[in-house]
């Protein structure tokens, strides 16, 4: 629409300029031509009148010899083909080329004719006037007729202007006719030039439209070294700059999105009305929601967590950072630290940034550490209290008691052994847990190693009448840390004997599972209640503390087993039926 109006404006302005120029030129030309033509004609008439004046004899004028004067005037007039009139100084017509001598006598006095007035005053007079006699416009030129400095009359020449007027009417006609012609020519030319100007403008508009749609890869091609060329260059430079900036912003935004989504912490951005603007993948996982379902909705409506919603509301209201620990029960039970920070814009709160940090593991580790310290203290305190008690008893006189003193010393020894075992287990465990621990792998025969372990338990097996079967294939070669695998078997077989019934059995067997060798130590002992099974490998975890302690256990054996196997990139597990027995297994990669 605008383009059309611009070309229309151009065409109109071109046409107006051309018409105006033509008209003004025509008017001035016409007027000047007419004026000059009449001036030349007047001059020519003046000169001819002066020539006639020279021919007139003052004597005949003085005598008013009408007949001869009229003949002379007629003669001269015929030569120059102009009407000539001779007038005396009173304005009386003495001769006229167009009249007979009789007619001259009855002609009006000419003293009042303007040209005659001038001539009788000594100047050259001229006038254009409608002649009643000839019924047409005439140019009259009169010169004084003077002799010896006296003005005795006037010679007047007259020419009809019909020819002149016809010629000028024709010129006028040509000029008027040229208007529509010049108008159409100007229209054609101006359309041509307007389109020539509009064409590159149209190109620029079409490219600019693409820019407005966000497509900055197009360029305007206009070679001309004019303003439009300059505009095209500027536009191209602008598009290039914007393209580069947009691409940099895109890269930045992609990086930010990548960071945002790969963050372990959950992030929620809300508006000042509490509407969710953005969430990251961590939030999707924790609350089991989809980004597209949540964004654009109010937090409470989308995620339905009153506690976090309360924190967001408070942050938005008070404009201060709030940190709070919350426990999430659904969809998974976890502990989170929620950190809400207000987002400011022009000194007022415009939204909130909420970062949710899963601290379940930190809290669990804290509990584990606290429990561990409590457990170690407790485990150490029991034998120490006993030792202290018996030493005091001995010192208070029991030393002299020949019957019991040895007994007391044996009890002290038992507790000292317990302390020793406990400290040794704690040392092994701390070593296994320390960073950078190395395992020294070598290839050895597991079958023989199991036999070796069992040999050490010979008397205890015999006492309890427990039957043992080493069902491992002969020459079962494994590549592992021999000493540590020995420790694993020792702990597992020890438990299998400790918690077995009298006349029970123990079986050690193996199978290949994929890339792993799975070794199982099965016993016919008391088994483990299902509720305790998940925690059995934790430090100091015992199903029956008193019984374990009575049997000389520290509660660290299975924990040591787990650590050693995990150092070998294997895994441990247990299957058990309470009252029937347990199957403890571990795997070692081939
Ligand atoms: P402990 O020194 O008490 O044996 P462990 O870490 O070796 O410590 O074992 C932890 C607990 O697991 C034991 O106290 C016991 O309750 C249970 N347990 C371990 N092995 C067996 C088994 N073979 N049969 C039944 N219970 C077992």
């Amino acid at each position: 629409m605008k383009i059309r109006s611009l070309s229309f404006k151009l065409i109109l302005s071109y046409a107006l300029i051309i018409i105006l120029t033509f008209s003004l030129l025509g008017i001035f030309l016409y007027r000047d031509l007419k004026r000059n033509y009449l001036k030349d004609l007047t001059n020519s008439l003046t000169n001819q009148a002066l020539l006639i004046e020279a021919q007139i004899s003052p004597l005949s004028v003085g005598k008013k010899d009408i007949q001869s004067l009229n003949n002379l005037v007629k003669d001269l007039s015929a030569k120059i083909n102009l009407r000539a009139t001779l007038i005396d100084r009173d304005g009386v017509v003495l001769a006229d080329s167009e009249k007979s001598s009789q007619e001259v006598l009855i002609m009006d006095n000419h003293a009042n004719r303007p040209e005659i007035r001038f001539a009788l005053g000594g100047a050259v007079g001229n006038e254009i006037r409608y002649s009643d006699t000839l019924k047409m416009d005439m140019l009259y030129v009169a010169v004084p007729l003077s002799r010896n400095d006296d003005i005795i009359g006037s010679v007047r020449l007259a020419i009809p202007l019909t020819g002149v007027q016809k010629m000028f009417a024709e010129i006028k006609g040509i000029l008027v006719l040229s208007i529509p012609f010049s108008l159409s020519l100007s229209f054609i030319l101006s359309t041509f030039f307007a389109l020539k100007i509009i064409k590159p403008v149209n190109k620029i508009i079409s490219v600019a439209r693409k820019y407005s749609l966000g497509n900055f890869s197009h360029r305007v091609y206009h070679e001309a070294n004019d303003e439009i060329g300059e505009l095209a260059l500027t536009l191209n430079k602008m598009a290039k700059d914007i393209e580069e900036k947009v691409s940099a912003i895109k890269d930045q935004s992609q990086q930010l999105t990548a960071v945002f989504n790969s963050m372990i912490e959950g992030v929620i951005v809300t508006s000042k009305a509490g509407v969710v603007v953005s969430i990251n993948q961590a939030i999707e996982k924790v609350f089991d929601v989809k980004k597209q379902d949540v964004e654009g909705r109010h937090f409470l409506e989308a995620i339905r967590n009153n506690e976090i919603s309360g924190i967001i509301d408070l942050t938005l209201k008070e404009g201060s950072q709030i940190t709070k620990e919350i426990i999430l029960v659904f969809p998974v039970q976890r502990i989170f630290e929620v950190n809400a920070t207000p987002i400011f814009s022009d000194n007022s709160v415009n939204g909130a940034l909420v970062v949710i940090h899963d601290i379940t593991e930190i809290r669990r580790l804290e509990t584990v550490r606290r429990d561990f310290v409590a457990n170690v203290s407790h485990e150490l305190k029991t034998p120490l209290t006993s030792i202290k008690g018996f030493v005091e008893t001995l010192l208070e006189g029991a030393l002299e008691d020949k019957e019991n003193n040895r007994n007391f010393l044996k009890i002290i020894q038992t507790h000292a052994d317990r302390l020793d075992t406990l400290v040794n287990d704690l040392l092994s465990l701390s070593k296994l847990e320390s960073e950078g621990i190395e395992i020294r792998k070598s290839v050895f025969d597991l079958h023989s190693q199991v036999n070796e372990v069992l040999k050490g338990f010979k008397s205890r097996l015999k006492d309890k009448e427990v039957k043992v079967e080493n069902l491992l294939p002969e020459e079962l070669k494994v590549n592992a840390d021999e000493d540590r695998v020995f420790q694993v078997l020792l702990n597992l077989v020890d438990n299998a004997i400790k918690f077995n019934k009298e006349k029970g059995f123990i079986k050690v067997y193996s199978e290949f599972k994929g890339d792993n060798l799975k070794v199982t130590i099965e016993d016919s002992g008391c088994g483990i209640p299902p509720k305790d099974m998940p925690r059995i490998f934790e430090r100091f975890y015992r199903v029956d503390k008193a019984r374990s302690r009575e049997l000389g256990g520290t509660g660290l054996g299975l924990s040591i087993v787990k650590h050693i196997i995990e150092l070998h990139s294997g895994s441990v597990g247990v299957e058990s039926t309470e009252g029937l027995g347990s199957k403890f297994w571990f795997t070692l990669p081939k």
Side-chain angles (χ1 to χ4, degrees), residues 495 498-499 523 536 541-543 548 553-555 557-558 582 584:
N495 282 349
K498 263 196 307 195
F499 300 103
D523 67 56
I536 213 81
Y541 193 86
R542 284 171 285 197
V543 176
S548 159
T554 58
L558 286 181
S582 314
F584 278 87

Side-chain angles (χ1 to χ4, degrees), residues 362-404:
I362 297 170
R363 290 287 176 269
R364 193 188 70 78
L365 287 175
E366 277 170 10
T367 315
V368 167
R369 198 167 301 132
R370 217 180 301 123
D371 289 354
F372 180 69
V373 173
N375 278 326
V376 170
S377 317
H378 184 73
E379 293 299 328
L380 291 173
K381 199 170 164 43
T382 318
L384 277 175
T385 313
S386 297
I387 290 169
K388 211 178 146 212
F390 282 108
V391 169
E392 274 168 12
T393 315
L394 283 171
L395 288 175
E396 277 166 12
L399 204 57
E400 316 307 329
D401 180 353
K402 291 263 180 337
E403 267 177 41
N404 286 314

Side-chain angles (χ1 to χ4, degrees), residues 440-451:
R440 268 166 284 152
K441 281 190 180 178
S442 62
V443 178
F444 61 91
D445 174 22
L446 199 64
H447 180 92
S448 318
Q449 200 184 45
V450 170
N451 280 342

Side-chain angles (χ1 to χ4, degrees), residues 425 491-492 494-500 523 525-528 536-538 540-545 548-549 552-559 576 581-582 584:
D425 276 359
N491 288 6
L492 291 177
D494 180 38
N495 282 349
I497 299 168
K498 263 196 307 195
F499 300 103
N500 218 326
D523 67 56
C526 59
I528 302 155
I536 213 81
F537 288 93
E538 281 176 22
F540 295 115
Y541 193 86
R542 284 171 285 197
V543 176
D544 181 344
K545 267 196 177 122
S548 159
R549 231 176 261 138
T554 58
L556 296 173
L558 286 181
S559 188
S576 180
S582 314
F584 278 87

Side-chain angles (χ1 to χ4, degrees), residues 153-267:
S154 163
V155 175
R156 187 183 76 172
L157 292 184
I159 184 169
L161 287 178
T162 37
V164 178
Q165 276 167 343
K166 205 175 147 209
M167 183 178 85
F168 280 102
E170 269 170 24
I171 293 175
K172 211 187 233 170
I174 290 168
L175 283 174
V176 171
L177 262 179
S178 73
I179 288 179
F181 176 74
S182 63
L183 203 70
S184 18
L185 192 73
S186 75
F187 180 77
I188 293 166
L189 283 177
S190 57
T191 308
F192 174 73
F193 287 121
L195 289 181
K196 216 171 143 74
I197 294 171
I198 292 297
K199 205 175 157 191
V201 174
N202 276 342
K203 260 202 283 182
I204 290 175
I205 290 171
S206 107
V207 172
R209 278 212 184 104
K210 284 180 183 126
Y211 294 165
S212 74
L213 296 173
N215 187 350
F216 291 98
S217 61
H218 288 78
R219 295 287 176 272
V220 186
Y221 296 101
H222 185 75
E223 299 291 315
N225 199 12
D226 53 11
E227 282 85 350
I228 293 179
E230 182 73 28
L231 177 66
L233 277 180
T234 315
L235 213 64
N236 287 346
K237 193 182 169 298
M238 182 198 80
K240 191 174 159 256
D241 288 353
I242 294 179
E243 201 179 16
E244 280 170 10
K245 276 179 190 137
V246 166
S247 142
I249 291 169
K250 249 189 209 162
D251 285 353
Q252 237 174 28
S253 138
Q254 270 165 4
Q255 281 166 10
L256 277 177
T257 312
V259 170
F260 190 58
N261 281 330
S262 62
M263 274 173 80
I264 298 165
E265 288 84 5
V267 181

